[in-house]
Amino acid sequence: MKMVHTSYRVKDLDASLDFYKKAFNFSESRRRDFPEHKFTLVYLTLPGDSYELELTYNFDHAAYNLGDGYGHIAIATDNLEELHEKQKAAGFKVTDLYGLPGTPPSYYFISDPDGYDIEVIRSNY
């Protein structure tokens, strides 16, 4: 067995695609359109990775209530500080760099257009 994807429901598919492509260099690996059922599924992958992020777009749906049980997904990078500065300069909603108690900074959070949080961690975390 293996994990294959995580699904997010998104309000504005174009805004979400733009965010994930610009913030993390995701690329669209496949798309499944179901216009008769009023939804589209878009699958995104990171370079060199087969795990997919599925964006589910339900036509004409209002913003989703994320609830208080959702945490985050995490993406690892070899260049934490460089990516952090790049995303801040692009105007994305990012936090400061943080470290677990007693450790140097090793992660931060960025929010996508729907309010989903992504933890960005140093690869050797």
Side-chain angles (χ1 to χ4, degrees):
M1 286 189 273
K2 69 177 188 170
M3 297 268 300
V4 293
H5 74 258
T6 297
S7 176
Y8 282 168
R9 289 185 173 93
V10 299
K11 177 184 176 189
D12 182 334
L13 183 58
D14 291 333
S16 294
L17 288 170
D18 187 58
F19 169 82
Y20 284 100
K21 288 176 180 181
K22 287 182 179 174
F24 293 105
N25 200 29
F26 271 96
S27 62
E28 188 173 320
S29 54
R30 59 195 170 109
R31 179 183 291 242
R32 300 185 69 197
D33 291 305
F34 300 93
E36 67 280 4
H37 298 288
K38 298 184 178 181
F39 74 96
T40 296
L41 306 175
V42 177
Y43 297 85
L44 304 175
T45 55
L46 289 167
D49 194 356
S50 63
Y51 190 82
E52 294 176 311
L53 177 61
E54 174 192 303
L55 301 180
T56 300
Y57 172 63
N58 294 299
F59 301 0
D60 302 320
H61 196 284
Y64 291 92
N65 180 355
L66 300 185
D68 61 1
Y70 171 77
H72 62 270
I73 61 170
I75 295 175
T77 182
D78 291 330
N79 54 354
L80 184 73
E81 290 81 3
E82 181 182 327
L83 183 59
H84 183 255
E85 287 304 315
K86 179 181 172 186
Q87 291 172 340
K88 278 177 48 176
F92 295 121
K93 182 181 173 189
V94 297
T95 67
D96 292 333
L97 292 167
Y98 298 113
L100 294 173
T103 66
S106 58
Y107 68 94
Y108 66 93
F109 288 89
I110 182 172
S111 296
D112 82 355
D114 289 281
Y116 293 109
D117 287 332
I118 299 105
E119 180 182 22
V120 183
I121 61 175
R122 193 178 310 281
S123 289
N124 59 0
Y125 182 72

